[in-house]
Amino acid sequence: RKDQAISINGSHTHTFFNPEGIVFELGCFREAAGCLITGEATSEFTWFPGSVWRFALCRRCGIHLGWTYDLKESGFYGLILNRLRE
Protein backbone atom coordinates (compact mmCIF):
# COMPACT_ATOMS: atom_id res chain seq x y z
CA ARG A 1 0.00 0.00 0.00
CA LYS A 2 1.15 3.52 -0.73
CA ASP A 3 0.80 4.50 2.93
CA GLN A 4 3.60 2.01 3.75
CA ALA A 5 6.13 3.76 1.46
CA ILE A 6 9.33 4.85 3.22
CA SER A 7 12.63 6.47 2.37
CA ILE A 8 15.83 4.42 2.67
CA ASN A 9 19.20 6.10 2.11
CA GLY A 10 17.37 9.31 1.18
CA SER A 11 14.93 7.94 -1.40
CA HIS A 12 11.79 5.81 -1.74
CA THR A 13 12.85 4.46 -5.15
CA HIS A 14 16.15 2.85 -6.11
CA THR A 15 17.43 1.32 -9.35
CA PHE A 16 19.83 -1.63 -9.14
CA PHE A 17 21.06 -4.51 -11.29
CA ASN A 18 21.69 -8.09 -10.22
CA PRO A 19 24.74 -10.26 -11.10
CA GLU A 20 23.05 -11.30 -14.39
CA GLY A 21 22.64 -7.63 -15.39
CA ILE A 22 18.85 -7.50 -14.92
CA VAL A 23 17.77 -4.02 -13.83
CA PHE A 24 15.17 -3.55 -11.07
CA GLU A 25 13.43 -0.36 -9.97
CA LEU A 26 12.49 -0.85 -6.32
CA GLY A 27 10.22 1.02 -3.98
CA CYS A 28 10.88 0.76 -0.25
CA PHE A 29 8.02 -0.13 2.09
CA ARG A 30 7.65 -0.55 5.85
CA GLU A 31 5.24 -3.50 5.52
CA ALA A 32 3.95 -5.67 2.66
CA ALA A 33 1.13 -7.85 3.96
CA GLY A 34 0.68 -9.64 0.62
CA CYS A 35 4.24 -10.99 0.61
CA LEU A 36 5.50 -14.41 1.60
CA ILE A 37 9.15 -14.35 2.69
CA THR A 38 11.31 -17.29 1.64
CA GLY A 39 14.93 -18.42 1.36
CA GLU A 40 17.98 -18.18 3.58
CA ALA A 41 19.02 -14.70 4.70
CA THR A 42 22.20 -13.60 2.93
CA SER A 43 24.35 -10.51 2.58
CA GLU A 44 25.69 -11.67 -0.80
CA PHE A 45 25.30 -8.93 -3.44
CA THR A 46 23.11 -6.87 -1.10
CA TRP A 47 22.02 -3.51 -2.48
CA PHE A 48 21.72 -1.98 0.99
CA PRO A 49 25.06 -2.14 2.86
CA GLY A 50 24.83 -3.72 6.29
CA SER A 51 21.65 -5.63 5.46
CA VAL A 52 20.78 -9.24 4.73
CA TRP A 53 18.00 -10.10 2.30
CA ARG A 54 15.46 -12.80 1.54
CA PHE A 55 13.02 -13.18 -1.34
CA ALA A 56 9.52 -11.68 -1.15
CA LEU A 57 6.91 -13.56 -3.20
CA CYS A 58 3.24 -12.83 -3.81
CA ARG A 59 1.33 -14.75 -1.14
CA ARG A 60 -1.46 -15.47 -3.66
CA CYS A 61 0.31 -16.49 -6.91
CA GLY A 62 3.98 -16.95 -5.92
CA ILE A 63 5.48 -14.42 -8.38
CA HIS A 64 8.72 -12.77 -7.27
CA LEU A 65 7.82 -9.26 -6.00
CA GLY A 66 11.16 -8.24 -4.51
CA TRP A 67 13.11 -8.70 -1.30
CA THR A 68 12.93 -8.06 2.40
CA TYR A 69 15.98 -6.46 3.99
CA ASP A 70 16.95 -6.83 7.63
CA LEU A 71 19.26 -4.36 9.29
CA LYS A 72 20.45 -4.56 12.88
CA GLU A 73 17.78 -2.17 14.15
CA SER A 74 15.00 -2.49 11.55
CA GLY A 75 13.83 -4.01 8.33
CA PHE A 76 11.95 -3.07 5.17
CA TYR A 77 10.74 -4.40 1.83
CA GLY A 78 12.31 -3.49 -1.51
CA LEU A 79 9.57 -4.29 -4.02
CA ILE A 80 9.82 -4.28 -7.82
CA LEU A 81 7.57 -1.37 -8.77
CA ASN A 82 6.37 -2.64 -12.15
CA ARG A 83 5.13 -5.87 -10.50
CA LEU A 84 2.87 -4.16 -7.95
CA ARG A 85 -0.87 -3.53 -8.25
CA GLU A 86 -3.06 -1.30 -6.16
Side-chain angles (χ1 to χ4, degrees), residues 4-50:
Q4 295 297 312
I6 59 172
S7 178
I8 299 293
N9 297 337
S11 183
H12 166 65
T13 61
H14 300 268
T15 303
F16 298 109
F17 63 91
N18 71 7
E20 287 81 35
I22 300 170
V23 177
F24 296 96
E25 183 177 16
L26 305 182
C28 297
F29 297 88
R30 183 177 302 107
E31 294 290 334
C35 286
L36 173 68
I37 306 309
T38 187
E40 297 275 332
T42 182
S43 61
E44 185 177 339
F45 207 78
T46 187
W47 291 324
F48 297 96

mmCIF file of all heavy atoms in Angstrom, residues 4-50:
data_model
loop_
_atom_site.group_PDB
_atom_site.id
_atom_site.type_symbol
_atom_site.label_atom_id
_atom_site.label_comp_id
_atom_site.label_asym_id
_atom_site.label_seq_id
_atom_site.Cartn_x
_atom_site.Cartn_y
_atom_site.Cartn_z
ATOM 1 N N GLN A 4 2.461 2.712 3.145
ATOM 2 C CA GLN A 4 3.596 2.012 3.753
ATOM 3 C C GLN A 4 4.934 2.400 3.115
ATOM 4 O O GLN A 4 5.982 1.897 3.509
ATOM 5 C CB GLN A 4 3.401 0.496 3.647
ATOM 6 C CG GLN A 4 2.213 -0.026 4.433
ATOM 7 C CD GLN A 4 2.380 0.222 5.915
ATOM 8 O OE1 GLN A 4 3.424 -0.069 6.493
ATOM 9 N NE2 GLN A 4 1.356 0.776 6.549
ATOM 10 N N ALA A 5 4.908 3.318 2.132
ATOM 11 C CA ALA A 5 6.132 3.758 1.456
ATOM 12 C C ALA A 5 7.037 4.500 2.441
ATOM 13 O O ALA A 5 6.579 5.292 3.254
ATOM 14 C CB ALA A 5 5.780 4.664 0.279
ATOM 15 N N ILE A 6 8.335 4.197 2.360
ATOM 16 C CA ILE A 6 9.329 4.847 3.223
ATOM 17 C C ILE A 6 10.546 5.239 2.401
ATOM 18 O O ILE A 6 10.723 4.779 1.266
ATOM 19 C CB ILE A 6 9.765 3.935 4.396
ATOM 20 C CG1 ILE A 6 10.357 2.627 3.885
ATOM 21 C CG2 ILE A 6 8.607 3.682 5.357
ATOM 22 C CD1 ILE A 6 10.984 1.759 4.969
ATOM 23 N N SER A 7 11.379 6.057 2.987
ATOM 24 C CA SER A 7 12.633 6.468 2.371
ATOM 25 C C SER A 7 13.784 5.705 3.028
ATOM 26 O O SER A 7 13.885 5.664 4.247
ATOM 27 C CB SER A 7 12.823 7.975 2.558
ATOM 28 O OG SER A 7 14.049 8.379 2.016
ATOM 29 N N ILE A 8 14.625 5.106 2.201
ATOM 30 C CA ILE A 8 15.830 4.422 2.666
ATOM 31 C C ILE A 8 17.011 5.069 1.941
ATOM 32 O O ILE A 8 16.956 5.254 0.715
ATOM 33 C CB ILE A 8 15.776 2.900 2.362
ATOM 34 C CG1 ILE A 8 14.605 2.236 3.065
ATOM 35 C CG2 ILE A 8 17.108 2.229 2.725
ATOM 36 C CD1 ILE A 8 14.692 2.205 4.589
ATOM 37 N N ASN A 9 18.029 5.422 2.690
ATOM 38 C CA ASN A 9 19.204 6.102 2.110
ATOM 39 C C ASN A 9 18.793 7.328 1.298
ATOM 40 O O ASN A 9 19.331 7.591 0.220
ATOM 41 C CB ASN A 9 20.041 5.152 1.261
ATOM 42 C CG ASN A 9 20.628 4.021 2.065
ATOM 43 O OD1 ASN A 9 20.793 4.120 3.274
ATOM 44 N ND2 ASN A 9 20.947 2.923 1.401
ATOM 45 N N GLY A 10 17.774 8.053 1.791
ATOM 46 C CA GLY A 10 17.367 9.314 1.182
ATOM 47 C C GLY A 10 16.374 9.237 0.046
ATOM 48 O O GLY A 10 16.046 10.260 -0.549
ATOM 49 N N SER A 11 15.866 8.051 -0.280
ATOM 50 C CA SER A 11 14.930 7.942 -1.399
ATOM 51 C C SER A 11 13.968 6.764 -1.206
ATOM 52 O O SER A 11 14.340 5.743 -0.625
ATOM 53 C CB SER A 11 15.699 7.755 -2.707
ATOM 54 O OG SER A 11 14.828 7.721 -3.813
ATOM 55 N N HIS A 12 12.755 6.912 -1.733
ATOM 56 C CA HIS A 12 11.791 5.805 -1.738
ATOM 57 C C HIS A 12 12.138 4.822 -2.852
ATOM 58 O O HIS A 12 12.041 3.614 -2.680
ATOM 59 C CB HIS A 12 10.363 6.333 -1.928
ATOM 60 C CG HIS A 12 9.374 5.276 -2.282
ATOM 61 N ND1 HIS A 12 9.032 4.252 -1.421
ATOM 62 C CD2 HIS A 12 8.662 5.058 -3.417
ATOM 63 C CE1 HIS A 12 8.137 3.460 -2.005
ATOM 64 N NE2 HIS A 12 7.900 3.922 -3.216
ATOM 65 N N THR A 13 12.556 5.330 -4.008
ATOM 66 C CA THR A 13 12.855 4.465 -5.148
ATOM 67 C C THR A 13 14.360 4.330 -5.355
ATOM 68 O O THR A 13 15.127 5.256 -5.104
ATOM 69 C CB THR A 13 12.204 4.980 -6.447
ATOM 70 O OG1 THR A 13 12.714 6.274 -6.738
ATOM 71 C CG2 THR A 13 10.691 5.024 -6.325
ATOM 72 N N HIS A 14 14.750 3.159 -5.830
ATOM 73 C CA HIS A 14 16.153 2.851 -6.106
ATOM 74 C C HIS A 14 16.203 1.971 -7.354
ATOM 75 O O HIS A 14 15.332 1.127 -7.553
ATOM 76 C CB HIS A 14 16.780 2.074 -4.943
ATOM 77 C CG HIS A 14 16.756 2.811 -3.651
ATOM 78 N ND1 HIS A 14 17.792 3.612 -3.233
ATOM 79 C CD2 HIS A 14 15.801 2.889 -2.678
ATOM 80 C CE1 HIS A 14 17.489 4.139 -2.061
ATOM 81 N NE2 HIS A 14 16.294 3.713 -1.703
ATOM 82 N N THR A 15 17.231 2.156 -8.171
ATOM 83 C CA THR A 15 17.432 1.324 -9.353
ATOM 84 C C THR A 15 18.748 0.566 -9.179
ATOM 85 O O THR A 15 19.791 1.175 -8.920
ATOM 86 C CB THR A 15 17.465 2.176 -10.631
ATOM 87 O OG1 THR A 15 16.238 2.922 -10.715
ATOM 88 C CG2 THR A 15 17.606 1.302 -11.864
ATOM 89 N N PHE A 16 18.672 -0.759 -9.328
ATOM 90 C CA PHE A 16 19.826 -1.631 -9.140
ATOM 91 C C PHE A 16 19.850 -2.690 -10.234
ATOM 92 O O PHE A 16 18.840 -2.926 -10.899
ATOM 93 C CB PHE A 16 19.741 -2.375 -7.795
ATOM 94 C CG PHE A 16 19.751 -1.497 -6.591
ATOM 95 C CD1 PHE A 16 18.606 -1.336 -5.820
ATOM 96 C CD2 PHE A 16 20.906 -0.832 -6.205
ATOM 97 C CE1 PHE A 16 18.610 -0.539 -4.693
ATOM 98 C CE2 PHE A 16 20.925 -0.029 -5.075
ATOM 99 C CZ PHE A 16 19.774 0.112 -4.316
ATOM 100 N N PHE A 17 20.976 -3.358 -10.397
ATOM 101 C CA PHE A 17 21.057 -4.514 -11.289
ATOM 102 C C PHE A 17 21.633 -5.688 -10.510
ATOM 103 O O PHE A 17 22.421 -5.509 -9.589
ATOM 104 C CB PHE A 17 21.907 -4.220 -12.531
ATOM 105 C CG PHE A 17 23.341 -3.918 -12.237
ATOM 106 C CD1 PHE A 17 24.286 -4.933 -12.220
ATOM 107 C CD2 PHE A 17 23.743 -2.623 -11.964
ATOM 108 C CE1 PHE A 17 25.611 -4.654 -11.931
ATOM 109 C CE2 PHE A 17 25.072 -2.343 -11.685
ATOM 110 C CZ PHE A 17 26.003 -3.357 -11.668
ATOM 111 N N ASN A 18 21.204 -6.881 -10.891
ATOM 112 C CA ASN A 18 21.685 -8.089 -10.218
ATOM 113 C C ASN A 18 22.913 -8.642 -10.944
ATOM 114 O O ASN A 18 23.331 -8.085 -11.965
ATOM 115 C CB ASN A 18 20.551 -9.121 -10.076
ATOM 116 C CG ASN A 18 20.142 -9.752 -11.384
ATOM 117 O OD1 ASN A 18 20.756 -9.557 -12.426
ATOM 118 N ND2 ASN A 18 19.075 -10.532 -11.345
ATOM 119 N N PRO A 19 23.520 -9.726 -10.459
ATOM 120 C CA PRO A 19 24.737 -10.258 -11.098
ATOM 121 C C PRO A 19 24.548 -10.661 -12.567
ATOM 122 O O PRO A 19 25.506 -10.684 -13.328
ATOM 123 C CB PRO A 19 25.092 -11.477 -10.244
ATOM 124 C CG PRO A 19 24.525 -11.165 -8.902
ATOM 125 C CD PRO A 19 23.243 -10.417 -9.195
ATOM 126 N N GLU A 20 23.315 -10.943 -12.991
ATOM 127 C CA GLU A 20 23.052 -11.297 -14.389
ATOM 128 C C GLU A 20 22.822 -10.060 -15.249
ATOM 129 O O GLU A 20 22.569 -10.176 -16.454
ATOM 130 C CB GLU A 20 21.834 -12.227 -14.489
ATOM 131 C CG GLU A 20 22.116 -13.638 -14.015
ATOM 132 C CD GLU A 20 22.059 -13.755 -12.497
ATOM 133 O OE1 GLU A 20 21.238 -13.064 -11.863
ATOM 134 O OE2 GLU A 20 22.853 -14.526 -11.937
ATOM 135 N N GLY A 21 22.836 -8.871 -14.647
ATOM 136 C CA GLY A 21 22.636 -7.626 -15.390
ATOM 137 C C GLY A 21 21.187 -7.202 -15.527
ATOM 138 O O GLY A 21 20.894 -6.240 -16.240
ATOM 139 N N ILE A 22 20.271 -7.879 -14.867
ATOM 140 C CA ILE A 22 18.854 -7.503 -14.919
ATOM 141 C C ILE A 22 18.645 -6.300 -14.011
ATOM 142 O O ILE A 22 19.065 -6.299 -12.854
ATOM 143 C CB ILE A 22 17.949 -8.676 -14.489
ATOM 144 C CG1 ILE A 22 18.175 -9.860 -15.432
ATOM 145 C CG2 ILE A 22 16.481 -8.250 -14.463
ATOM 146 C CD1 ILE A 22 17.526 -11.146 -14.977
ATOM 147 N N VAL A 23 17.999 -5.264 -14.553
ATOM 148 C CA VAL A 23 17.775 -4.020 -13.827
ATOM 149 C C VAL A 23 16.414 -4.069 -13.128
ATOM 150 O O VAL A 23 15.415 -4.496 -13.716
ATOM 151 C CB VAL A 23 17.842 -2.813 -14.783
ATOM 152 C CG1 VAL A 23 17.529 -1.515 -14.050
ATOM 153 C CG2 VAL A 23 19.213 -2.736 -15.431
ATOM 154 N N PHE A 24 16.390 -3.616 -11.871
ATOM 155 C CA PHE A 24 15.167 -3.554 -11.073
ATOM 156 C C PHE A 24 14.993 -2.147 -10.530
ATOM 157 O O PHE A 24 15.939 -1.564 -10.006
ATOM 158 C CB PHE A 24 15.243 -4.519 -9.880
ATOM 159 C CG PHE A 24 15.319 -5.959 -10.272
ATOM 160 C CD1 PHE A 24 16.548 -6.603 -10.353
ATOM 161 C CD2 PHE A 24 14.178 -6.687 -10.553
ATOM 162 C CE1 PHE A 24 16.639 -7.934 -10.696
ATOM 163 C CE2 PHE A 24 14.255 -8.022 -10.900
ATOM 164 C CZ PHE A 24 15.480 -8.648 -10.977
ATOM 165 N N GLU A 25 13.778 -1.610 -10.645
ATOM 166 C CA GLU A 25 13.433 -0.361 -9.966
ATOM 167 C C GLU A 25 12.596 -0.754 -8.755
ATOM 168 O O GLU A 25 11.515 -1.330 -8.890
ATOM 169 C CB GLU A 25 12.656 0.588 -10.849
ATOM 170 C CG GLU A 25 12.386 1.898 -10.140
ATOM 171 C CD GLU A 25 11.664 2.925 -10.989
ATOM 172 O OE1 GLU A 25 11.091 2.548 -12.020
ATOM 173 O OE2 GLU A 25 11.676 4.094 -10.598
ATOM 174 N N LEU A 26 13.138 -0.461 -7.570
ATOM 175 C CA LEU A 26 12.492 -0.848 -6.323
ATOM 176 C C LEU A 26 11.859 0.349 -5.638
ATOM 177 O O LEU A 26 12.377 1.451 -5.706
ATOM 178 C CB LEU A 26 13.520 -1.434 -5.343
ATOM 179 C CG LEU A 26 14.376 -2.594 -5.778
ATOM 180 C CD1 LEU A 26 15.286 -3.024 -4.631
ATOM 181 C CD2 LEU A 26 13.531 -3.744 -6.256
ATOM 182 N N GLY A 27 10.779 0.076 -4.930
ATOM 183 C CA GLY A 27 10.216 1.017 -3.977
ATOM 184 C C GLY A 27 10.382 0.411 -2.598
ATOM 185 O O GLY A 27 10.280 -0.811 -2.431
ATOM 186 N N CYS A 28 10.668 1.243 -1.612
ATOM 187 C CA CYS A 28 10.883 0.757 -0.245
ATOM 188 C C CYS A 28 9.612 0.933 0.575
ATOM 189 O O CYS A 28 8.973 1.990 0.518
ATOM 190 C CB CYS A 28 12.036 1.509 0.400
ATOM 191 S SG CYS A 28 13.601 1.243 -0.450
ATOM 192 N N PHE A 29 9.258 -0.110 1.324
ATOM 193 C CA PHE A 29 8.022 -0.132 2.093
ATOM 194 C C PHE A 29 8.271 -0.685 3.493
ATOM 195 O O PHE A 29 9.047 -1.619 3.667
ATOM 196 C CB PHE A 29 6.970 -1.001 1.390
ATOM 197 C CG PHE A 29 6.583 -0.469 0.042
ATOM 198 C CD1 PHE A 29 7.298 -0.820 -1.095
ATOM 199 C CD2 PHE A 29 5.519 0.401 -0.085
ATOM 200 C CE1 PHE A 29 6.955 -0.319 -2.341
ATOM 201 C CE2 PHE A 29 5.163 0.901 -1.319
ATOM 202 C CZ PHE A 29 5.884 0.541 -2.459
ATOM 203 N N ARG A 30 7.566 -0.124 4.446
ATOM 204 C CA ARG A 30 7.653 -0.545 5.851
ATOM 205 C C ARG A 30 7.079 -1.954 6.017
ATOM 206 O O ARG A 30 7.655 -2.792 6.691
ATOM 207 C CB ARG A 30 6.868 0.460 6.702
ATOM 208 C CG ARG A 30 6.895 0.240 8.178
ATOM 209 C CD ARG A 30 6.145 1.358 8.927
ATOM 210 N NE ARG A 30 6.704 2.684 8.644
ATOM 211 C CZ ARG A 30 6.124 3.632 7.877
ATOM 212 N NH1 ARG A 30 4.952 3.410 7.325
ATOM 213 N NH2 ARG A 30 6.701 4.781 7.681
ATOM 214 N N GLU A 31 5.932 -2.205 5.436
ATOM 215 C CA GLU A 31 5.243 -3.499 5.515
ATOM 216 C C GLU A 31 4.716 -3.881 4.146
ATOM 217 O O GLU A 31 4.470 -3.011 3.301
ATOM 218 C CB GLU A 31 4.063 -3.421 6.500
ATOM 219 C CG GLU A 31 4.449 -3.192 7.938
ATOM 220 C CD GLU A 31 5.124 -4.388 8.574
ATOM 221 O OE1 GLU A 31 4.896 -5.538 8.135
ATOM 222 O OE2 GLU A 31 5.911 -4.168 9.508
ATOM 223 N N ALA A 32 4.527 -5.160 3.912
ATOM 224 C CA ALA A 32 3.952 -5.671 2.662
ATOM 225 C C ALA A 32 3.166 -6.930 3.005
ATOM 226 O O ALA A 32 3.672 -8.048 2.882
ATOM 227 C CB ALA A 32 5.043 -5.932 1.646
ATOM 228 N N ALA A 33 1.945 -6.743 3.449
ATOM 229 C CA ALA A 33 1.127 -7.847 3.961
ATOM 230 C C ALA A 33 0.896 -8.954 2.939
ATOM 231 O O ALA A 33 0.722 -10.107 3.312
ATOM 232 C CB ALA A 33 -0.205 -7.307 4.461
ATOM 233 N N GLY A 34 0.935 -8.639 1.650
ATOM 234 C CA GLY A 34 0.681 -9.638 0.621
ATOM 235 C C GLY A 34 1.891 -10.467 0.250
ATOM 236 O O GLY A 34 1.816 -11.295 -0.649
ATOM 237 N N CYS A 35 3.005 -10.271 0.947
ATOM 238 C CA CYS A 35 4.237 -10.990 0.610
ATOM 239 C C CYS A 35 4.475 -12.189 1.516
ATOM 240 O O CYS A 35 4.213 -12.148 2.706
ATOM 241 C CB CYS A 35 5.440 -10.055 0.714
ATOM 242 S SG CYS A 35 5.554 -8.871 -0.625
ATOM 243 N N LEU A 36 5.008 -13.216 0.900
ATOM 244 C CA LEU A 36 5.496 -14.407 1.600
ATOM 245 C C LEU A 36 7.018 -14.362 1.517
ATOM 246 O O LEU A 36 7.579 -14.236 0.428
ATOM 247 C CB LEU A 36 4.966 -15.663 0.913
ATOM 248 C CG LEU A 36 5.506 -16.996 1.408
ATOM 249 C CD1 LEU A 36 5.008 -17.261 2.834
ATOM 250 C CD2 LEU A 36 5.072 -18.103 0.474
ATOM 251 N N ILE A 37 7.696 -14.429 2.641
ATOM 252 C CA ILE A 37 9.152 -14.355 2.693
ATOM 253 C C ILE A 37 9.723 -15.770 2.645
ATOM 254 O O ILE A 37 9.250 -16.661 3.340
ATOM 255 C CB ILE A 37 9.614 -13.641 3.993
ATOM 256 C CG1 ILE A 37 8.934 -12.289 4.111
ATOM 257 C CG2 ILE A 37 11.127 -13.505 4.028
ATOM 258 C CD1 ILE A 37 9.037 -11.414 2.893
ATOM 259 N N THR A 38 10.741 -15.963 1.803
ATOM 260 C CA THR A 38 11.310 -17.287 1.636
ATOM 261 C C THR A 38 12.819 -17.205 1.392
ATOM 262 O O THR A 38 13.331 -16.166 1.007
ATOM 263 C CB THR A 38 10.615 -18.049 0.478
ATOM 264 O OG1 THR A 38 11.071 -19.394 0.447
ATOM 265 C CG2 THR A 38 10.853 -17.383 -0.852
ATOM 266 N N GLY A 39 13.495 -18.319 1.611
ATOM 267 C CA GLY A 39 14.928 -18.420 1.359
ATOM 268 C C GLY A 39 15.752 -18.089 2.592
ATOM 269 O O GLY A 39 15.261 -17.545 3.571
ATOM 270 N N GLU A 40 17.018 -18.444 2.514
ATOM 271 C CA GLU A 40 17.977 -18.177 3.583
ATOM 272 C C GLU A 40 18.405 -16.715 3.518
ATOM 273 O O GLU A 40 18.653 -16.189 2.433
ATOM 274 C CB GLU A 40 19.211 -19.053 3.410
ATOM 275 C CG GLU A 40 18.948 -20.535 3.521
ATOM 276 C CD GLU A 40 18.961 -21.019 4.947
ATOM 277 O OE1 GLU A 40 19.653 -20.415 5.773
ATOM 278 O OE2 GLU A 40 18.283 -22.022 5.216
ATOM 279 N N ALA A 41 18.516 -16.073 4.651
ATOM 280 C CA ALA A 41 19.017 -14.699 4.696
ATOM 281 C C ALA A 41 20.478 -14.674 4.270
ATOM 282 O O ALA A 41 21.269 -15.528 4.677
ATOM 283 C CB ALA A 41 18.859 -14.123 6.097
ATOM 284 N N THR A 42 20.831 -13.712 3.404
ATOM 285 C CA THR A 42 22.204 -13.599 2.928
ATOM 286 C C THR A 42 22.579 -12.130 2.746
ATOM 287 O O THR A 42 21.710 -11.294 2.494
ATOM 288 C CB THR A 42 22.402 -14.350 1.593
ATOM 289 O OG1 THR A 42 23.773 -14.251 1.207
ATOM 290 C CG2 THR A 42 21.533 -13.798 0.487
ATOM 291 N N SER A 43 23.849 -11.856 2.855
ATOM 292 C CA SER A 43 24.354 -10.514 2.577
ATOM 293 C C SER A 43 25.046 -10.473 1.213
ATOM 294 O O SER A 43 25.537 -9.429 0.796
ATOM 295 C CB SER A 43 25.329 -10.065 3.670
ATOM 296 O OG SER A 43 26.437 -10.937 3.719
ATOM 297 N N GLU A 44 25.044 -11.599 0.503
ATOM 298 C CA GLU A 44 25.688 -11.672 -0.803
ATOM 299 C C GLU A 44 24.996 -10.737 -1.798
ATOM 300 O O GLU A 44 23.776 -10.770 -1.968
ATOM 301 C CB GLU A 44 25.646 -13.107 -1.327
ATOM 302 C CG GLU A 44 26.389 -13.293 -2.611
ATOM 303 C CD GLU A 44 26.401 -14.738 -3.061
ATOM 304 O OE1 GLU A 44 26.202 -15.640 -2.227
ATOM 305 O OE2 GLU A 44 26.610 -14.951 -4.258
ATOM 306 N N PHE A 45 25.774 -9.893 -2.448
ATOM 307 C CA PHE A 45 25.300 -8.934 -3.444
ATOM 308 C C PHE A 45 24.122 -8.097 -2.922
ATOM 309 O O PHE A 45 23.168 -7.809 -3.633
ATOM 310 C CB PHE A 45 24.925 -9.647 -4.754
ATOM 311 C CG PHE A 45 25.055 -8.761 -5.959
ATOM 312 C CD1 PHE A 45 26.294 -8.498 -6.502
ATOM 313 C CD2 PHE A 45 23.951 -8.174 -6.525
ATOM 314 C CE1 PHE A 45 26.428 -7.663 -7.607
ATOM 315 C CE2 PHE A 45 24.063 -7.336 -7.624
ATOM 316 C CZ PHE A 45 25.310 -7.084 -8.168
ATOM 317 N N THR A 46 24.181 -7.707 -1.653
ATOM 318 C CA THR A 46 23.109 -6.870 -1.102
ATOM 319 C C THR A 46 23.198 -5.468 -1.682
ATOM 320 O O THR A 46 24.285 -4.948 -1.927
ATOM 321 C CB THR A 46 23.136 -6.827 0.436
ATOM 322 O OG1 THR A 46 21.980 -6.129 0.887
ATOM 323 C CG2 THR A 46 24.387 -6.160 0.982
ATOM 324 N N TRP A 47 22.065 -4.864 -1.935
ATOM 325 C CA TRP A 47 22.020 -3.506 -2.477
ATOM 326 C C TRP A 47 21.989 -2.460 -1.365
ATOM 327 O O TRP A 47 22.116 -1.276 -1.626
ATOM 328 C CB TRP A 47 20.808 -3.343 -3.381
ATOM 329 C CG TRP A 47 20.920 -4.133 -4.653
ATOM 330 C CD1 TRP A 47 22.051 -4.359 -5.377
ATOM 331 C CD2 TRP A 47 19.871 -4.793 -5.337
ATOM 332 N NE1 TRP A 47 21.775 -5.114 -6.480
ATOM 333 C CE2 TRP A 47 20.436 -5.399 -6.491
ATOM 334 C CE3 TRP A 47 18.510 -4.940 -5.114
ATOM 335 C CZ2 TRP A 47 19.683 -6.120 -7.399
ATOM 336 C CZ3 TRP A 47 17.768 -5.657 -6.020
ATOM 337 C CH2 TRP A 47 18.349 -6.245 -7.151
ATOM 338 N N PHE A 48 21.777 -2.896 -0.154
ATOM 339 C CA PHE A 48 21.720 -1.980 0.985
ATOM 340 C C PHE A 48 22.783 -2.418 1.993
ATOM 341 O O PHE A 48 22.571 -3.380 2.730
ATOM 342 C CB PHE A 48 20.313 -1.971 1.597
ATOM 343 C CG PHE A 48 19.274 -1.466 0.636
ATOM 344 C CD1 PHE A 48 18.516 -2.345 -0.123
ATOM 345 C CD2 PHE A 48 19.074 -0.101 0.483
ATOM 346 C CE1 PHE A 48 17.566 -1.880 -1.028
ATOM 347 C CE2 PHE A 48 18.130 0.374 -0.415
ATOM 348 C CZ PHE A 48 17.377 -0.517 -1.175
ATOM 349 N N PRO A 49 23.939 -1.744 1.994
ATOM 350 C CA PRO A 49 25.059 -2.141 2.857
ATOM 351 C C PRO A 49 24.639 -2.335 4.314
ATOM 352 O O PRO A 49 23.846 -1.571 4.856
ATOM 353 C CB PRO A 49 26.040 -0.973 2.719
ATOM 354 C CG PRO A 49 25.752 -0.405 1.368
ATOM 355 C CD PRO A 49 24.249 -0.552 1.214
ATOM 356 N N GLY A 50 25.148 -3.406 4.905
ATOM 357 C CA GLY A 50 24.835 -3.724 6.292
ATOM 358 C C GLY A 50 23.575 -4.543 6.466
ATOM 359 O O GLY A 50 23.214 -4.901 7.581
#
